[in-house]
Amino acid sequence: MNKVIKDLLSRKSFIFSIIIIGFFSILAVAAPALTTYSNPYLPSQQYVAAPYAVPSWATIFPQYKELPPDVSFTFTKYVSSDSSYVTAVNASYIKVVVPPGQTVNVSFPFKWNWSHPYDVVVSFKLLTPSTTSFVVNLYFNGLYAMELCPVPFPVEPAVSISPGKVNSVVFDSKYISPANSPFASELPLSEQPLAAYEFPSYALPKPGTYNVTVSFENTGSSKEVFVMSLPSYSSLGYVYGKLGTDDNGASVFAEFVYGARFDLYLSLLASALIIGIGLFIGLLAGYVGGFTDLSLNALTDFFLLIPGLPLLVVLISIFDVTGTIVNVNKPILILLIISLLSWPGTAKIIRGQTLSLKGRTFVEAAKALGEGNLRILFRHILPNLMGILFAQLAYDVPGVILAESGLDFLGLGITGFPTWGNMLGFATYNVSFINGFAWWWVLPPGIGIVLLSTAFYFFGSAMLDVLSPYKLRGE
Amino acid sequence: MSSTATSEKSVIRGRFHITGLKRYLLKRIAERLVLLFGILVFNFFVFQVLPTLYHINVAELYVPLSYKGLPRSELVQAIDRQFGLNLPLQERFFVYIESLLTFHLGISMHYDEPVLNLIEQRFPVTALLVIPSLLLSTVLAVVLGLYSISRQGKIGDSIVSFTAIMTYFIPSFWLGEIVLYVFGFYLNIFPTNIAEAITRNGVTLHGFAYWASLLKFLTLPILFLTVVSYGVRNILFRNNGVELMGSNFVNYLRARGISDRKIFYKHVTRNAIIPVFTRVGIDLAFLFAGVVFIEDVFNIPGLGRLLVSAAENLDIPLLEGDFYVISLFAVVILLALDLIYPLIDPRVKYE
């Protein structure tokens, strides 16, 4: 056995295959540790960054240099028009006293190093006085972002705020409209529907220092006291993680890793199944011979002669349309159908090998010694088939991966969670000039499929070379 | 197909003298016909029995849910009657077999056109795509294979073989899309829209101009198909050649003093190319199944897409007709392959 391993390790193609298979196996096994998103196709795990965010390492390219990452922080500094009116309560709250008829502005400066982000979210808690004679405005560097009025149904675009209570104020540029933001309602009518997209580019167009200003206006005749928390800022950037994001802002790396996990799992399982069927039919046909051989051979030819992919599509459609097979889920259905349609090649090879082994002297000797057929099969023929079985197991993997990916690509396969085929399907459907062909999304699954398939092929070839019976006997 | 002395033997049956060739031919034809019949029965099972077992009435899919007017059940029954889906299964089977034997393949439910017309329309497109790339990829495989065999084990051989294996595993829908974007949209070298390619000023071209512009449109897919399909032939050819180079007859030829060049080109190549021909034949046999993904990606109205759209829509007449034509063509080509095989490989004799 030591000799076998030595022989294997002396092959460059084997080393290559082991490295690639090992790499993807580690990705697959360690998937939950590598990423926090278990299924990026769930809406709750989307928008971790802007759609089509580039990978973070891609910022070394000049055209991506300016793009912002995800940013989130809580303001610590504040500047006010008159410091006697504004005092810190504790580390995270400030108190603002507004004399009658006056306006007090509190500004929160921050430094921005990139081009504009995907969205802008500013949120803070605000304890309002119990009167209704005040207005709180939120400005974003001169842009009139939000107006808060202490009446139940204020005139649009003002937003209602309850007096005498702690209000949670959230400004989210994704949801602004002429109904809730003066910024949007002041835009020309034709631009108003795009306000949510345009706000970040108006507010944070380029690197520089910007201010978020909260302005407290007292319209009454007595002094008002406000308490507000230091606001927190967050925005989704156009740079994210190891492999960027897809069209829904979900992590491509998480998709890739979980895709690898599923593809490896399914293809190994399907290959094992194919080997099982192929071994049974091949052994039976090769060893028994005669009419059994003839009919099994016809069966094999039969499956070779029907166009596989369309039949796969028909079967999947039939089982899909019916919905009657509720107890069998889609991956298992795909597994079964792919295995049932792709065993003939394996069966043919095993049959041929069994036929040749059957005629060897050691089998004849075993027969002469009066050994039973089953014993000959399991003690003499099967061990000699091991090399071929391992090789076939490896050879069948690429076929299964390609078939499954093809189904997913056509939109007939798995839909609920990421597979490489799904990634390719959605990616190639969505790429355009606008998102720079989303190369970080299009390339990885394809390269993954090619590399893994090639690796399995080389693995199979090495196994076949090393484990074939001639080699074992030292010839 | 092994070479045995029995080929000389003739069998006397009744008054007829059946020679080896005829006997072999008859046996092969009978085998293939039985196989074809088996496939037809299987198709009937999948397309008609299986839906019935699962209580799907395919006609239901062809009445839009939003349709207002006649009651839905009446429409479904009308479609059932039109396509003979209301008959009991055993009657449907005989109707099915009869329609295939007489080549009245019926009318597609989805396209509302005779199935045979649909296949006829799409056949030239797929043939124009598949046959040139079959020739090109075979030439490419053989040329690269010759290079590999002559430099066996050296770095050039490794690179060529590795590339061949890689290209074989490239998902065509993936690289196809990338190639289409780069050469079609970005560099704008090839037309990307077949409707634009075969019309001028809104009028469909005719005659030579039509075929020329169709071929221009198909150039990119042909080249792409060539690249993704030459691999398997290249590897077959190379492995065979390498094996032959080490075989006894080559040593014997060398011992006789025949030049390496002559051994290589005359003896080794001629033998190594046989499996490549077989492979080309098999690929040709499945011409009617089309190249689904490439047609899908490059938006070519070919047989592959026809088949997949039929499958997606459960268009029963089209599915039955199309699968029948595919199998029939494959059987005929494989039979022809059996016949010409001894011409290519003299060691094989008709058994």
Side-chain angles (χ1 to χ4, degrees), chain A residues 302 310 322 324 424 431 442 457, chain B residues 42 54 56 162 165 174 181 307:
Chain A
F302 165 81
T322 61
T324 34
L424 284 182
V431 290
V442 175
Y457 175 84
Chain B
F42 179 77
Y54 281 110
I56 318 174
F162 187 77
I165 289 166
W174 168 66
Y181 265 106
L307 199 53

Side-chain angles (χ1 to χ4, degrees), chain A residues 151-441:
Chain A
V151 289
F153 297 102
V155 183
E156 284 180 359
V159 179
S160 168
I161 187 170
S162 33
K165 279 185 185 156
V166 177
N167 291 277
S168 185
V169 179
V170 179
F171 171 77
D172 189 335
S173 74
K174 280 198 293 292
Y175 303 117
I176 60 172
S177 68
N180 62 16
S181 172
F183 164 78
S185 64
E186 280 164 15
L187 282 174
L189 213 56
S190 59
E191 285 182 37
Q192 282 183 2
L194 296 172
Y197 295 96
E198 291 191 347
F199 184 85
S201 57
Y202 277 96
L204 297 166
K206 55 179 189 287
T209 306
Y210 295 90
N211 283 308
V212 174
T213 307
V214 184
S215 137
F216 299 90
E217 189 183 345
N218 187 349
T219 53
S221 52
S222 57
K223 156 181 108 160
E224 308 273 21
V225 178
F226 298 84
V227 175
M228 75 174 285
S229 65
L230 288 170
S232 59
Y233 169 94
S234 73
S235 63
L236 298 180
Y238 286 100
V239 168
Y240 180 82
K242 296 183 187 69
L243 286 176
T245 60
D246 66 4
D247 62 331
N248 289 316
S251 164
V252 171
F253 181 71
E255 288 178 16
F256 183 71
V257 166
Y258 274 93
R261 193 181 166 97
F262 175 76
D263 275 23
L264 265 178
Y265 187 60
L266 180 98
S267 55
L268 285 176
L269 222 56
S271 298
L273 210 57
I274 292 170
I275 292 288
I277 303 172
L279 185 65
F280 180 73
I281 303 239
L283 269 184
L284 210 60
Y287 191 74
V288 178
F291 183 71
T292 318
D293 184 21
L294 202 70
S295 43
L296 286 179
N297 222 353
L299 188 73
T300 317
D301 279 345
F302 165 81
F303 272 101
L304 276 176
L305 211 63
I306 354 178
L309 185 79
L311 190 65
L312 204 63
V313 174
V314 179
L315 287 174
I316 299 256
S317 312
I318 289 178
F319 288 120
D320 232 21
V321 169
T322 61
T324 34
I325 33 134
V326 268
N327 296 329
V328 181
N329 63 8
K330 199 78 176 273
I332 293 179
L333 183 67
I334 288 176
L335 172 80
L336 287 177
I337 295 182
I338 289 182
S339 316
L340 286 179
L341 292 182
S342 37
W343 57 266
T346 309
K348 279 212 150 186
I349 288 166
I350 291 174
R351 172 186 168 269
Q353 201 63 24
T354 313
L355 263 181
S356 100
L357 284 171
K358 196 181 146 195
R360 297 276 176 83
T361 354
F362 67 90
V363 174
E364 273 170 27
K367 263 190 195 147
L369 282 170
E371 287 186 14
N373 279 334
L374 275 181
R375 192 178 154 82
I376 293 177
L377 264 183
F378 287 105
R379 293 302 295 273
H380 299 291
I381 293 190
L382 206 54
N384 278 310
L385 284 175
M386 273 315 180
I388 288 214
L389 287 185
F390 267 111
Q392 280 299 318
L393 191 67
Y395 284 152
D396 286 334
V397 167
V400 176
I401 294 182
L402 284 175
E404 198 274 329
S405 303
L407 274 184
D408 288 349
F409 176 81
L410 290 175
L412 296 160
I414 284 147
T415 45
F417 54 89
T419 66
W420 284 350
N422 267 339
M423 288 177 75
L424 284 182
F426 290 128
T428 50
Y429 182 75
N430 282 303
V431 290
S432 66
F433 290 108
I434 304 158
N435 46 46
F437 300 119
W439 49 267
W440 56 90
W441 186 24

